[in-house]
């Protein structure tokens, strides 16, 4: 049936609508020779226009279905006489939904085909309109509402996809975090990890701890320059390579030289480098070998003595900086009872008293850890308190990744 007769200048005036989204374009698909629409556009009282395009079949509709079309009105009786008995009466709708998955679609039918119109909505149409009830205001409102519903549906779909991606990424990142292999060792292990990227679980920092068959405990902590997912992936590769090489018997300079070759092969540019600290603790727990590759030295705390840094005056450069670098292994005495803390520079590069103040630095970290130890904190509680205090001193979240690893030994 025709819509109300047009006003002068071939424009149809309609009542104000509840949702105003600016000018819209409606593609009408119908094969009624008389045509339901006799005007090129509708205009509401607010001046917003609905331009009308008409296609007589699906082939013509596909040609007219350009990006500037906001809504599609499909006649469910399209080519009804040409369909064979038993054909799907909603096939034109299914085809339009495949052609235009981002466009809202309105189903047009006679009231005698109300059941078919309801099926069309269940199949994906945004709404249904009956020819006998169709007028300018109703059509304008239906178009606006369909557009808004489609937008809301798209937002919900994107939100659901984003949540699924976040869940998958979280599961992946959790799977990439290390599980220490210390079976048979009397050392106690604790670690804390805080990536600098918002909503990430994994950053460019990496660590690991394993015990080899000879009873030696090997610990490592490192930092790939940068904070993105590529740096996180490279950190995981280096950690896995370190674990494999350690179980293969490599140690000290030989191990770090091989890791440097891995980094050079896997990095995206020659500007990427990584700092690294490795410690191998003798089976009796009283001595350790230390290698530093541009990384801050660990601290050790013993009963009755404040925490102090292990020697750091003969370390080598960061991995990836010099092609033929060497990394000397230094022997250090630990004693009978001790706590060894390894960390990345994110722990010491935050501010010591809020924005604009000097950086905490290693001296500030030593004083902070001594205060926490004096307060009786150990293990997981010590690391949790240390990371929290560093964040509080900084006056907010730290921008760099932070990884901290703690090994404790109670002497006999």
């Amino acid at each position: 049936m025709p819509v109300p007769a047009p006003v002068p200048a071939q424009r149809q005036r309609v009542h104000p609508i509840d949702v105003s989204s600016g000018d819209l374009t409606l593609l009408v698909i119908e094969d009624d020779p008389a045509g339901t629409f006799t005007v090129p556009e509708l205009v509401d009282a607010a001046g917003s226009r609905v331009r009308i395009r008409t296609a007589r079949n699906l082939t013509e509709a596909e040609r007219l279905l350009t990006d500037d079309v906001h809504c599609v009105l499909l006649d469910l009786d399209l080519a009804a006489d040409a369909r064979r008995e038993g054909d799907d009466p909603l096939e034109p709708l299914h085809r339009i939904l495949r052609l235009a998955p981002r466009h809202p679609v309105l189903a047009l039918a006679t009231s005698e085909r109300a059941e078919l119109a309801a099926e069309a909505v269940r199949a994906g149409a945004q709404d249904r309109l009956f020819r006998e009830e169709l007028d300018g205001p109703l059509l304008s409102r239906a178009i606006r509402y369909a557009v808004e519903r489609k937008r809301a549906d798209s937002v919900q779909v994107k939100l659901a996809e984003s949540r699924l991606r976040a869940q998958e990424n979280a599961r992946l990142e959790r799977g990439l975090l290390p599980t220490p292999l210390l079976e048979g060792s009397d050392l106690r292990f604790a670690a804390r990890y805080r990536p600098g990227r918002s909503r990430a679980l994994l950053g460019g920092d990496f660590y690991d701890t394993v015990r080899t068959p000879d009873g030696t405990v090997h610990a490592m902590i490192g930092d790939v320059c940068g904070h993105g997912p590529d740096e996180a992936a490279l950190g995981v590769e280096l950690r896995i390579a370190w674990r494999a090489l350690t179980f293969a018997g490599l140690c000290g300079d030989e191990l770090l030289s091989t890791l440097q070759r891995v980094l050079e092969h896997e990095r995206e540019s020659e500007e990427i480098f990584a700092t690294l600290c490795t410690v191998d603790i003798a089976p009796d727990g009283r001595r350790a070998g230390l290698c530093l590759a541009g990384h801050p030295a660990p601290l050790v705390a013993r009963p009755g003595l404040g925490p102090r840094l292990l020697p750091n005056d003969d370390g080598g450069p960061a991995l990836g900086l010099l092609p033929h670098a060497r990394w000397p292994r230094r022997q250090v005495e630990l004693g009978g009872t001790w706590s060894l803390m390894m960390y990345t520079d994110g722990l010491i590069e935050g501010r010591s008293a809020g924005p604009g103040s000097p950086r905490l630095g290693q001296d500030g970290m030593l004083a902070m850890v001594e205060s926490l130890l004096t307060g009786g904190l150990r293990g997981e509680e010590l690391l949790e308190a240390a990371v929290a205090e560093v964040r509080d001193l900084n006056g907010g979240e730290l921008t760099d990744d932070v990884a901290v690893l703690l090994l404790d030994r109670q002497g006999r």
Side-chain angles (χ1 to χ4, degrees):
M1 64 171 291
V3 296
V7 297
Q10 295 295 305
R11 288 190 174 183
Q12 177 75 25
R13 287 281 173 185
V14 300
H15 297 297
I17 57 180
D18 296 328
V19 179
S20 177
S21 305
D23 295 347
L24 298 176
T25 298
L26 172 69
L27 175 61
V28 179
I29 308 173
E30 63 169 357
D31 60 358
D32 181 0
T36 300
F37 295 89
T38 59
V39 293
E41 62 183 40
L42 306 174
V43 181
D44 65 18
S48 297
R49 297 176 297 175
V50 178
R51 301 184 182 92
I52 297 175
R53 296 180 187 173
T54 303
R56 298 306 178 191
N57 52 59
L58 294 178
T59 301
E60 186 178 352
E62 184 173 359
R63 179 177 60 82
L64 296 176
L65 194 58
T66 53
D67 290 340
D68 59 336
V69 171
H70 298 90
C71 186
V72 177
L73 179 64
L74 174 65
D75 182 3
L76 295 181
D77 290 328
L78 189 68
D81 295 337
R83 286 198 298 269
R84 298 186 304 272
E85 184 177 355
D87 285 352
D88 182 1
L90 293 180
E91 176 55 31
L93 174 64
H94 296 319
R95 182 174 171 184
I96 287 298
L97 292 176
R98 290 193 297 269
L99 289 174
R102 295 178 298 175
H103 289 73
V105 178
L106 297 172
L108 179 65
T110 61
S111 57
E112 289 80 5
R113 309 199 74 185
E115 184 176 345
L116 179 64
E119 289 182 15
V121 174
R122 289 192 292 270
Q126 294 296 312
D127 203 351
R128 87 282 184 276
L129 299 172
F130 296 126
R131 287 182 180 275
E132 298 88 341
E133 302 172 358
L134 189 64
D135 60 16
L138 175 63
L139 179 62
S140 295
R141 285 195 298 271
I143 295 169
R144 301 287 184 180
Y145 294 161
V147 169
E148 292 305 319
R149 281 196 297 273
K150 190 66 175 182
R151 288 175 180 169
D153 291 344
S154 298
V155 168
Q156 290 299 320
V157 169
K158 290 178 180 178
L159 181 59
E161 291 175 348
S162 177
R163 287 173 176 167
L164 285 174
R165 284 195 299 269
Q167 292 170 1
E168 289 298 320
N169 289 340
R171 282 193 289 269
L172 174 62
E173 292 184 327
R174 278 194 295 269
L176 292 175
L177 289 172
T179 300
L181 299 178
L182 290 173
E183 185 177 357
S185 172
D186 61 354
L187 301 184
R188 293 184 302 175
F189 170 89
R192 279 292 178 271
Y193 198 103
R194 184 185 296 273
R197 291 182 294 139
S198 175
R199 297 182 297 278
L201 292 178
L202 202 62
D205 291 3
F206 54 99
Y207 66 88
D208 205 351
T209 306
V210 298
R211 182 176 184 264
T212 48
D214 64 357
T216 302
V217 171
H218 303 261
M220 171 272 289
I221 195 164
D223 182 1
V224 177
C225 66
H227 312 293
D230 291 336
E231 289 77 12
L234 182 56
V236 171
E237 290 180 275
L238 291 174
R239 178 184 65 77
I240 294 173
W242 175 87
R243 176 176 284 201
L245 294 169
T246 298
F247 279 123
L250 275 65
C251 185
D253 181 75
E254 185 181 13
L255 172 58
L256 270 64
S257 296
T258 307
L259 283 177
Q260 173 156 281
R261 290 198 294 272
V262 173
L263 182 144
E264 290 170 345
H265 179 74
E266 297 295 335
R267 65 186 176 182
E268 290 191 346
S269 74
E270 294 184 355
E271 298 178 354
I272 301 297
F273 63 90
T275 66
L276 193 71
C277 169
T278 68
V279 173
D280 54 278
I281 303 168
D284 64 6
R286 303 184 68 88
R287 302 176 313 281
L290 170 67
C291 285
L292 296 175
H295 199 87
L299 68 83
V300 63
R302 302 185 182 92
L305 299 174
R308 65 176 181 85
L309 298 176
L310 292 181
N312 58 1
D313 54 353
D314 57 354
L319 303 181
L321 292 183
L322 301 177
H324 304 293
R326 289 292 178 262
W327 294 272
R329 175 178 175 274
R330 180 161 185 164
Q331 190 79 7
V332 295
E333 295 295 327
L334 297 176
T337 299
W338 46 262
S339 295
L340 179 70
M341 192 173 92
M342 306 167 70
Y343 53 92
T344 56
D345 59 8
L347 189 71
I348 60 177
E349 289 191 348
R351 300 297 175 179
S352 60
S357 63
R359 296 193 181 278
L360 180 65
Q362 289 177 304
D363 290 340
M365 179 193 64
L366 289 172
M368 177 192 68
V369 171
E370 182 173 14
S371 175
L372 296 175
L373 288 171
T374 302
L377 296 182
R378 299 292 186 274
E380 298 276 355
E381 292 182 349
L382 172 64
L383 296 189
E384 189 69 33
V387 173
E389 184 163 338
V390 167
R391 186 180 65 247
D392 292 342
L393 289 172
N394 189 60
E397 286 295 337
L398 301 166
T399 57
D400 199 3
D401 304 329
V402 176
V404 193
L405 183 158
L406 185 68
L407 290 170
D408 289 310
R409 180 178 188 269
Q410 299 296 317
R412 293 187 294 270

